[in-house]
Amino acid sequence: MNNEVVVLFGAGAIGEAIVRRVSAGRKLLLADYSEDKLAMMKKELAEAGFSVETIKADLSSRDSIKEVVAKAQSLGDIMGLVNAAGVSPSQASAEEVLKVDLYGTSVLLEEFGKVMAPGGAGIVISSQSGHRLPGLSVEDNKALAMTPTEELLDLPILQPNVITDSLAAYQYAKRTNVLRVAAESVNWQKRNARINAISPGIIMTPLALDELNGPRGAGYKKMFDSMVTKRPGTPDEIASLAELLMDRRSAFITGSDFLVDGGITAQYWYGNVSEVRN
């Protein structure tokens, strides 16, 4: 066992698929708000031969994120970070979505950007939803990308007159994730580390099932009908790309976002499903 550490935020299907590919021979630290999910994933991965530690964590809390950083540092050199945590529009209020998915991810990028080991790499799982917003102004993009994290939620563009429901909050959060990845990659480069985002489409996970069975389920089914694949994606399809991006083969890639959605965003803007918001 070497002294390299991989940290996963979010004990879900996509995160697990990724760390199974990048954590062999390394120490793996799982962080999630649910102790039950942590225990279940630790058991599965330990039985598969991985060296696993867990820590309960709240992505919406800087103090909690700092505790995860400290725990990871105590285990060794932090070579990998995977953020697959978050809440969906059907699971949370607009305020909660912004606090967890937008603010929390921004804190995570900032705090881990201070401690990544040289040669390390990270992945933020964003969403196709961030690509559903119309183009923002240069000023708004820069504000979302570079406003000090503790001031982010005070931006005019993130106030209730703009963020009218949890879906809008989710879209703005995911657009901000991509912008923050690009901006924070500049700081990560100072440590010879890389950070990229993946924006998946509908991937079959428990979270996606909540959406499929929720008020926007019919819209999702219409999406599938318009796609070449005629189906949602799988966690392993996202993990294949994440594995490449975290590997030395991708040493020339940082601050980027990769849309992996079966072509549905292209259909949304240029095809026949533009009326489906999510």
Side-chain angles (χ1 to χ4, degrees):
M1 183 68 62
N2 63 32
N3 201 42
E4 295 183 349
V5 180
V6 174
V7 180
L8 168 63
F9 261 79
I14 292 176
E16 181 176 359
I18 294 171
V19 297
R20 281 181 177 271
R21 293 166 183 254
V22 302
S23 302
R26 293 169 157 177
K27 297 173 185 176
L28 175 59
L29 178 61
L30 306 178
D32 196 279
Y33 191 74
S34 168
E35 293 178 320
D36 289 342
K37 288 182 179 180
L38 287 173
M40 185 182 303
M41 186 177 288
K42 179 178 181 178
K43 182 176 184 294
E44 292 175 352
L45 291 172
E47 289 176 349
F50 294 90
S51 175
V52 187
E53 299 277 349
T54 65
I55 182 171
K56 183 175 180 179
D58 179 357
L59 184 59
S60 70
S61 165
R62 185 181 291 272
D63 287 342
S64 183
I65 290 170
K66 284 184 174 181
E67 289 176 3
V68 177
V69 170
K71 175 76 170 180
Q73 287 182 298
S74 75
L75 297 175
D77 298 325
I78 305 173
M79 296 299 298
L81 171 68
V82 178
N83 180 27
V87 292
S88 79
S90 294
Q91 295 174 325
S93 67
E95 182 180 8
E96 291 171 317
V97 170
L98 292 176
K99 184 68 172 175
V100 176
D101 291 5
L102 190 151
Y103 169 81
T105 298
S106 299
V107 173
L108 195 70
L109 289 167
E110 184 178 310
E111 294 296 338
F112 274 89
K114 300 173 184 176
V115 299
M116 293 297 295
I123 293 291
V124 169
I125 300 300
S126 185
S127 170
Q128 65 175 0
S129 284
H131 292 262
R132 299 299 175 88
L133 284 176
L136 301 177
S137 69
V138 172
E139 293 77 14
D140 284 340
N141 277 334
K142 188 171 183 179
L144 291 172
M146 301 188 68
T147 296
T149 303
E150 296 304 322
E151 300 172 18
L152 256 177
L153 296 181
D154 295 327
L155 288 173
I157 198 174
L158 298 179
Q159 299 314 299
N161 63 312
V162 178
I163 307 297
T164 56
D165 55 36
S166 60
L167 178 57
Y170 191 73
Q171 290 176 329
Y172 272 90
K174 295 307 179 180
R175 174 69 64 86
T176 302
N177 289 168
V178 169
L179 294 168
R180 299 299 281 199
V181 162
E184 286 291 341
S185 73
V186 176
N187 294 321
W188 282 51
Q189 288 176 57
K190 297 172 184 176
R191 299 189 63 82
N192 191 28
R194 300 181 298 106
I195 179 71
N196 290 291
I198 298 175
S199 293
I202 307 303
I203 307 299
M204 286 310 298
T205 66
L207 185 149
L209 284 173
D210 284 346
E211 292 295 309
L212 287 169
N213 293 320
R216 289 177 288 275
Y220 282 109
K221 293 178 176 66
K222 184 172 183 180
M223 286 188 199
F224 299 152
D225 290 340
S226 72
M227 294 163 63
V228 173
T229 59
K230 305 297 181 185
R231 63 169 176 84
T234 66
D236 284 287
E237 288 174 300
I238 302 304
S240 293
L241 175 58
E243 180 184 21
L244 174 63
L245 291 173
M246 295 181 75
D247 188 81
R248 290 183 63 188
R249 291 172 293 171
S250 295
F252 207 57
I253 304 173
T254 192
S256 298
D257 172 51
F258 296 83
L259 179 62
V260 186
D261 69 346
I264 193 60
T265 298
Q267 287 278 9
Y268 176 85
W269 287 110
Y270 309 114
N272 60 359
V273 293
S274 59
E275 70 273 17
V276 181
R277 287 185 61 208
N278 50 307

PDB file of all heavy atoms in Angstrom, residues 105-130:
ATOM      1  N   THR A 105     -19.790  23.104  -3.273  1.00  0.00           N
ATOM      2  CA  THR A 105     -18.798  22.710  -4.277  1.00  0.00           C
ATOM      3  C   THR A 105     -17.708  23.766  -4.397  1.00  0.00           C
ATOM      4  O   THR A 105     -16.524  23.436  -4.566  1.00  0.00           O
ATOM      5  CB  THR A 105     -19.477  22.475  -5.636  1.00  0.00           C
ATOM      6  OG1 THR A 105     -20.418  21.403  -5.503  1.00  0.00           O
ATOM      7  CG2 THR A 105     -18.453  22.120  -6.707  1.00  0.00           C
ATOM      8  N   SER A 106     -18.075  25.036  -4.303  1.00  0.00           N
ATOM      9  CA  SER A 106     -17.081  26.106  -4.375  1.00  0.00           C
ATOM     10  C   SER A 106     -16.092  26.020  -3.216  1.00  0.00           C
ATOM     11  O   SER A 106     -14.881  26.180  -3.398  1.00  0.00           O
ATOM     12  CB  SER A 106     -17.782  27.471  -4.377  1.00  0.00           C
ATOM     13  OG  SER A 106     -18.628  27.597  -5.499  1.00  0.00           O
ATOM     14  N   VAL A 107     -16.609  25.756  -2.016  1.00  0.00           N
ATOM     15  CA  VAL A 107     -15.726  25.588  -0.853  1.00  0.00           C
ATOM     16  C   VAL A 107     -14.809  24.392  -1.058  1.00  0.00           C
ATOM     17  O   VAL A 107     -13.601  24.446  -0.779  1.00  0.00           O
ATOM     18  CB  VAL A 107     -16.549  25.417   0.434  1.00  0.00           C
ATOM     19  CG1 VAL A 107     -15.637  25.065   1.608  1.00  0.00           C
ATOM     20  CG2 VAL A 107     -17.344  26.674   0.745  1.00  0.00           C
ATOM     21  N   LEU A 108     -15.358  23.313  -1.543  1.00  0.00           N
ATOM     22  CA  LEU A 108     -14.571  22.090  -1.748  1.00  0.00           C
ATOM     23  C   LEU A 108     -13.405  22.339  -2.695  1.00  0.00           C
ATOM     24  O   LEU A 108     -12.258  21.944  -2.424  1.00  0.00           O
ATOM     25  CB  LEU A 108     -15.483  21.002  -2.311  1.00  0.00           C
ATOM     26  CG  LEU A 108     -14.956  19.569  -2.256  1.00  0.00           C
ATOM     27  CD1 LEU A 108     -14.927  19.062  -0.832  1.00  0.00           C
ATOM     28  CD2 LEU A 108     -15.843  18.664  -3.111  1.00  0.00           C
ATOM     29  N   LEU A 109     -13.677  22.995  -3.812  1.00  0.00           N
ATOM     30  CA  LEU A 109     -12.626  23.311  -4.776  1.00  0.00           C
ATOM     31  C   LEU A 109     -11.541  24.179  -4.139  1.00  0.00           C
ATOM     32  O   LEU A 109     -10.345  23.978  -4.364  1.00  0.00           O
ATOM     33  CB  LEU A 109     -13.221  24.033  -5.984  1.00  0.00           C
ATOM     34  CG  LEU A 109     -14.091  23.199  -6.922  1.00  0.00           C
ATOM     35  CD1 LEU A 109     -14.868  24.108  -7.868  1.00  0.00           C
ATOM     36  CD2 LEU A 109     -13.237  22.214  -7.703  1.00  0.00           C
ATOM     37  N   GLU A 110     -11.980  25.133  -3.344  1.00  0.00           N
ATOM     38  CA  GLU A 110     -11.052  26.065  -2.714  1.00  0.00           C
ATOM     39  C   GLU A 110     -10.184  25.363  -1.670  1.00  0.00           C
ATOM     40  O   GLU A 110      -8.945  25.501  -1.674  1.00  0.00           O
ATOM     41  CB  GLU A 110     -11.874  27.175  -2.054  1.00  0.00           C
ATOM     42  CG  GLU A 110     -11.088  28.290  -1.431  1.00  0.00           C
ATOM     43  CD  GLU A 110     -12.031  29.346  -0.864  1.00  0.00           C
ATOM     44  OE1 GLU A 110     -12.944  29.791  -1.588  1.00  0.00           O
ATOM     45  OE2 GLU A 110     -11.851  29.707   0.315  1.00  0.00           O
ATOM     46  N   GLU A 111     -10.800  24.597  -0.776  1.00  0.00           N
ATOM     47  CA  GLU A 111     -10.054  23.979   0.316  1.00  0.00           C
ATOM     48  C   GLU A 111      -9.121  22.872  -0.172  1.00  0.00           C
ATOM     49  O   GLU A 111      -7.986  22.762   0.288  1.00  0.00           O
ATOM     50  CB  GLU A 111     -11.015  23.445   1.381  1.00  0.00           C
ATOM     51  CG  GLU A 111     -11.797  24.526   2.118  1.00  0.00           C
ATOM     52  CD  GLU A 111     -10.906  25.453   2.940  1.00  0.00           C
ATOM     53  OE1 GLU A 111      -9.775  25.060   3.300  1.00  0.00           O
ATOM     54  OE2 GLU A 111     -11.346  26.590   3.215  1.00  0.00           O
ATOM     55  N   PHE A 112      -9.580  22.054  -1.100  1.00  0.00           N
ATOM     56  CA  PHE A 112      -8.698  20.996  -1.612  1.00  0.00           C
ATOM     57  C   PHE A 112      -7.634  21.564  -2.541  1.00  0.00           C
ATOM     58  O   PHE A 112      -6.553  20.983  -2.676  1.00  0.00           O
ATOM     59  CB  PHE A 112      -9.509  19.890  -2.291  1.00  0.00           C
ATOM     60  CG  PHE A 112      -9.997  18.848  -1.332  1.00  0.00           C
ATOM     61  CD1 PHE A 112     -11.215  18.985  -0.696  1.00  0.00           C
ATOM     62  CD2 PHE A 112      -9.221  17.742  -1.025  1.00  0.00           C
ATOM     63  CE1 PHE A 112     -11.666  18.049   0.220  1.00  0.00           C
ATOM     64  CE2 PHE A 112      -9.657  16.779  -0.119  1.00  0.00           C
ATOM     65  CZ  PHE A 112     -10.880  16.938   0.510  1.00  0.00           C
ATOM     66  N   GLY A 113      -7.936  22.700  -3.171  1.00  0.00           N
ATOM     67  CA  GLY A 113      -6.922  23.343  -4.000  1.00  0.00           C
ATOM     68  C   GLY A 113      -5.706  23.796  -3.222  1.00  0.00           C
ATOM     69  O   GLY A 113      -4.635  24.034  -3.795  1.00  0.00           O
ATOM     70  N   LYS A 114      -5.830  23.892  -1.909  1.00  0.00           N
ATOM     71  CA  LYS A 114      -4.710  24.293  -1.053  1.00  0.00           C
ATOM     72  C   LYS A 114      -3.814  23.118  -0.680  1.00  0.00           C
ATOM     73  O   LYS A 114      -2.690  23.334  -0.196  1.00  0.00           O
ATOM     74  CB  LYS A 114      -5.240  24.932   0.238  1.00  0.00           C
ATOM     75  CG  LYS A 114      -6.099  26.166   0.055  1.00  0.00           C
ATOM     76  CD  LYS A 114      -6.708  26.598   1.392  1.00  0.00           C
ATOM     77  CE  LYS A 114      -7.648  27.775   1.244  1.00  0.00           C
ATOM     78  NZ  LYS A 114      -8.298  28.131   2.531  1.00  0.00           N
ATOM     79  N   VAL A 115      -4.297  21.885  -0.869  1.00  0.00           N
ATOM     80  CA  VAL A 115      -3.588  20.735  -0.289  1.00  0.00           C
ATOM     81  C   VAL A 115      -3.299  19.608  -1.278  1.00  0.00           C
ATOM     82  O   VAL A 115      -2.652  18.624  -0.900  1.00  0.00           O
ATOM     83  CB  VAL A 115      -4.382  20.155   0.900  1.00  0.00           C
ATOM     84  CG1 VAL A 115      -4.541  21.198   2.001  1.00  0.00           C
ATOM     85  CG2 VAL A 115      -5.758  19.637   0.460  1.00  0.00           C
ATOM     86  N   MET A 116      -3.771  19.705  -2.510  1.00  0.00           N
ATOM     87  CA  MET A 116      -3.533  18.616  -3.457  1.00  0.00           C
ATOM     88  C   MET A 116      -2.040  18.376  -3.652  1.00  0.00           C
ATOM     89  O   MET A 116      -1.247  19.311  -3.708  1.00  0.00           O
ATOM     90  CB  MET A 116      -4.179  18.932  -4.802  1.00  0.00           C
ATOM     91  CG  MET A 116      -5.697  18.966  -4.776  1.00  0.00           C
ATOM     92  SD  MET A 116      -6.495  17.400  -4.344  1.00  0.00           S
ATOM     93  CE  MET A 116      -6.010  16.364  -5.737  1.00  0.00           C
ATOM     94  N   ALA A 117      -1.685  17.119  -3.758  1.00  0.00           N
ATOM     95  CA  ALA A 117      -0.282  16.769  -3.990  1.00  0.00           C
ATOM     96  C   ALA A 117       0.086  17.027  -5.447  1.00  0.00           C
ATOM     97  O   ALA A 117      -0.771  16.975  -6.337  1.00  0.00           O
ATOM     98  CB  ALA A 117      -0.043  15.299  -3.645  1.00  0.00           C
ATOM     99  N   PRO A 118       1.357  17.326  -5.720  1.00  0.00           N
ATOM    100  CA  PRO A 118       1.792  17.496  -7.107  1.00  0.00           C
ATOM    101  C   PRO A 118       1.442  16.269  -7.941  1.00  0.00           C
ATOM    102  O   PRO A 118       1.651  15.131  -7.512  1.00  0.00           O
ATOM    103  CB  PRO A 118       3.305  17.672  -6.977  1.00  0.00           C
ATOM    104  CG  PRO A 118       3.499  18.223  -5.601  1.00  0.00           C
ATOM    105  CD  PRO A 118       2.448  17.558  -4.758  1.00  0.00           C
ATOM    106  N   GLY A 119       0.876  16.523  -9.108  1.00  0.00           N
ATOM    107  CA  GLY A 119       0.447  15.433  -9.968  1.00  0.00           C
ATOM    108  C   GLY A 119      -0.960  14.950  -9.687  1.00  0.00           C
ATOM    109  O   GLY A 119      -1.469  14.082 -10.396  1.00  0.00           O
ATOM    110  N   GLY A 120      -1.592  15.525  -8.662  1.00  0.00           N
ATOM    111  CA  GLY A 120      -2.950  15.122  -8.318  1.00  0.00           C
ATOM    112  C   GLY A 120      -3.978  15.643  -9.304  1.00  0.00           C
ATOM    113  O   GLY A 120      -3.715  16.555 -10.093  1.00  0.00           O
ATOM    114  N   ALA A 121      -5.174  15.059  -9.251  1.00  0.00           N
ATOM    115  CA  ALA A 121      -6.244  15.458 -10.169  1.00  0.00           C
ATOM    116  C   ALA A 121      -7.591  15.286  -9.501  1.00  0.00           C
ATOM    117  O   ALA A 121      -7.778  14.407  -8.651  1.00  0.00           O
ATOM    118  CB  ALA A 121      -6.193  14.630 -11.450  1.00  0.00           C
ATOM    119  N   GLY A 122      -8.538  16.126  -9.899  1.00  0.00           N
ATOM    120  CA  GLY A 122      -9.873  16.067  -9.340  1.00  0.00           C
ATOM    121  C   GLY A 122     -10.949  16.108 -10.406  1.00  0.00           C
ATOM    122  O   GLY A 122     -10.710  16.561 -11.536  1.00  0.00           O
ATOM    123  N   ILE A 123     -12.125  15.624 -10.024  1.00  0.00           N
ATOM    124  CA  ILE A 123     -13.299  15.630 -10.894  1.00  0.00           C
ATOM    125  C   ILE A 123     -14.482  16.168 -10.104  1.00  0.00           C
ATOM    126  O   ILE A 123     -14.741  15.718  -8.979  1.00  0.00           O
ATOM    127  CB  ILE A 123     -13.649  14.218 -11.402  1.00  0.00           C
ATOM    128  CG1 ILE A 123     -12.573  13.691 -12.340  1.00  0.00           C
ATOM    129  CG2 ILE A 123     -15.014  14.218 -12.108  1.00  0.00           C
ATOM    130  CD1 ILE A 123     -12.483  14.400 -13.669  1.00  0.00           C
ATOM    131  N   VAL A 124     -15.203  17.110 -10.680  1.00  0.00           N
ATOM    132  CA  VAL A 124     -16.482  17.562 -10.136  1.00  0.00           C
ATOM    133  C   VAL A 124     -17.578  17.043 -11.058  1.00  0.00           C
ATOM    134  O   VAL A 124     -17.546  17.293 -12.267  1.00  0.00           O
ATOM    135  CB  VAL A 124     -16.545  19.096 -10.044  1.00  0.00           C
ATOM    136  CG1 VAL A 124     -17.974  19.560  -9.735  1.00  0.00           C
ATOM    137  CG2 VAL A 124     -15.585  19.614  -8.987  1.00  0.00           C
ATOM    138  N   ILE A 125     -18.528  16.302 -10.478  1.00  0.00           N
ATOM    139  CA  ILE A 125     -19.670  15.854 -11.262  1.00  0.00           C
ATOM    140  C   ILE A 125     -20.702  16.977 -11.253  1.00  0.00           C
ATOM    141  O   ILE A 125     -21.338  17.250 -10.236  1.00  0.00           O
ATOM    142  CB  ILE A 125     -20.270  14.558 -10.693  1.00  0.00           C
ATOM    143  CG1 ILE A 125     -19.221  13.438 -10.711  1.00  0.00           C
ATOM    144  CG2 ILE A 125     -21.495  14.151 -11.504  1.00  0.00           C
ATOM    145  CD1 ILE A 125     -18.678  13.090 -12.085  1.00  0.00           C
ATOM    146  N   SER A 126     -20.852  17.637 -12.381  1.00  0.00           N
ATOM    147  CA  SER A 126     -21.821  18.710 -12.535  1.00  0.00           C
ATOM    148  C   SER A 126     -23.082  18.113 -13.163  1.00  0.00           C
ATOM    149  O   SER A 126     -23.537  17.058 -12.727  1.00  0.00           O
ATOM    150  CB  SER A 126     -21.228  19.845 -13.375  1.00  0.00           C
ATOM    151  OG  SER A 126     -22.107  20.936 -13.426  1.00  0.00           O
ATOM    152  N   SER A 127     -23.654  18.735 -14.156  1.00  0.00           N
ATOM    153  CA  SER A 127     -24.876  18.219 -14.768  1.00  0.00           C
ATOM    154  C   SER A 127     -25.147  18.905 -16.095  1.00  0.00           C
ATOM    155  O   SER A 127     -24.776  20.064 -16.298  1.00  0.00           O
ATOM    156  CB  SER A 127     -26.074  18.460 -13.840  1.00  0.00           C
ATOM    157  OG  SER A 127     -27.294  18.169 -14.502  1.00  0.00           O
ATOM    158  N   GLN A 128     -25.856  18.183 -16.972  1.00  0.00           N
ATOM    159  CA  GLN A 128     -26.346  18.788 -18.205  1.00  0.00           C
ATOM    160  C   GLN A 128     -27.213  20.002 -17.923  1.00  0.00           C
ATOM    161  O   GLN A 128     -27.339  20.902 -18.765  1.00  0.00           O
ATOM    162  CB  GLN A 128     -27.164  17.769 -18.995  1.00  0.00           C
ATOM    163  CG  GLN A 128     -28.450  17.350 -18.282  1.00  0.00           C
ATOM    164  CD  GLN A 128     -29.321  16.433 -19.111  1.00  0.00           C
ATOM    165  OE1 GLN A 128     -28.980  16.082 -20.235  1.00  0.00           O
ATOM    166  NE2 GLN A 128     -30.452  16.031 -18.557  1.00  0.00           N
ATOM    167  N   SER A 129     -27.807  20.082 -16.728  1.00  0.00           N
ATOM    168  CA  SER A 129     -28.697  21.193 -16.409  1.00  0.00           C
ATOM    169  C   SER A 129     -27.992  22.538 -16.512  1.00  0.00           C
ATOM    170  O   SER A 129     -28.618  23.548 -16.847  1.00  0.00           O
ATOM    171  CB  SER A 129     -29.277  21.034 -14.997  1.00  0.00           C
ATOM    172  OG  SER A 129     -30.279  20.055 -14.976  1.00  0.00           O
ATOM    173  N   GLY A 130     -26.699  22.551 -16.218  1.00  0.00           N
ATOM    174  CA  GLY A 130     -25.958  23.799 -16.336  1.00  0.00           C
ATOM    175  C   GLY A 130     -25.859  24.295 -17.758  1.00  0.00           C
ATOM    176  O   GLY A 130     -25.623  25.489 -18.003  1.00  0.00           O
TER     177      GLY A 130
END
